[in-house]
Amino acid sequence: MHRWQPMADLAILAVVIYLFLRWTAENRLRVMLLAISAMFGLSALASRMDLPLAAWVLEAFGFTAVLFLVTIFQPELRHLVMRTEGWFRRPSSRDDPADACRAVTEAVFALAREKTGALLIVVRQHSIRELAGGGVEIGATPSSALLQAVFQKSSPIHDGGVVIELDRITRAGVLLPLTQRTDLPAQFGTRHRAALGISERCDAKVVVVSEERGDVTLVHRASWRHAAVERELVDFLSQGGQPEAAGPGPSVRRLLFGHMKQKLAALSMTALVWALTLVSSGTAIKDLQVPVEFTNPPAGMDVSKPSATQLEMRVRGPRWAVEALRPDQMTVRFDLSRGGLGGTRLAHPSDVVNLPPAVSVEWLRPDEITVNLVPARRARMN
Ligand SMILES: Nc1ncnc2c1ncn2[C@@H]1O[C@H](COP(=O)(O)OP(=O)(O)OP(=O)(O)O)[C@@H](O)[C@H]1O
């Protein structure tokens, strides 16, 4: 095992935990999944520590919880699968997000001026297929005229919401889940409740035009505010408002500093798993014979009569790390570039042995290696 491998191991684990936390954004489901993972983890720990009864009980709890999860959280699980769809969607190269934003803004404020009710759902990363039912498939490039026409009272599809996905109008007349909140302004009827309902369940941006008051409400992630001027709607739709797949790719800043809470949680959980593996796997000792290689002899010189071509050593460390050590991957290399003609005493071998962290050398033979550097031809004759 190379020194970088355990690091890569932990880094992969941290990334997997982070993706898992981002994926399971719904709190109830996340708690449940974490509880199940913890039960199986503790069960493995108990069996390692020779506590068979505890291991059995924890495992049984884990399986019961899985059954419970599949039956109770079926809609959430289905929604999770839907959510992954957004990771692979790419916008059509024909459609410019700025054009879609312009069309929506123009239509929304035109509808607001004439007090025509409207509800627009701009889909981002999460698929809303499981959340928004019914409606009519459209599949058109957004234009102000088309959006205004859809919401006219005389239109057969003016009821419900219009879905805009990857800068295309994909459906009209869709029914959305209503929010159950009781703390909303009295003037919020079912149109606004539908907007809040969908925004509680996914990352879509929703725009509502009130038929009664002609005002424009912007809804995202269960919070809302009014937009008095077009600029506010444009900002709402464009500031992190484009579906991530539609942009030029996540910015480095967002990649590094976005979702800090989940990143810290993932790092803490990785540290915990690391500590648990150290404790649960116990300590092991292993004797190894590691080959020695001499590299970079000065130009025109060769190595002759090295005092040893392999090292014997005994290492100690966490069982999983020690068991993964493979002598053929641990070649000890001595750099001879600074050697001069004649005998050269090399660095203490234990300084150049490449061991993963937490694994230490108990003893190592020989203590010291010497080589002779000779003109290239003489070495070949030896
Ligand atoms: N579940 C739903 N999903 C999508 N649209 C809905 C849903 N329920 C109602 N609507 C839309 O809302 C309209 C009714 O709006 P209502 O007057 O109840 O709401 P409101 O929030 O007071 O809006 P407004 O201020 O425009 O009156 C319906 O005609 C329909 O178009």
Side-chain angles (χ1 to χ4, degrees), residues 68-88:
F68 185 71
L69 179 102
V70 173
T71 34
I72 306 291
F73 289 91
Q74 209 197 14
E76 279 91 343
L77 288 173
R78 221 169 38 209
H79 184 207
L80 272 189
V81 176
M82 291 288 109
R83 179 174 288 194
T84 55
E85 274 186 8
W87 300 353
F88 307 106

Side-chain angles (χ1 to χ4, degrees), residues 331-353:
T331 307
V332 172
R333 289 189 178 83
F334 288 102
D335 183 2
L336 299 179
S337 55
R338 291 199 185 163
L341 205 58
T344 300
R345 183 177 293 175
L346 297 171
H348 198 284
S350 62
D351 294 343
V352 277
V353 179

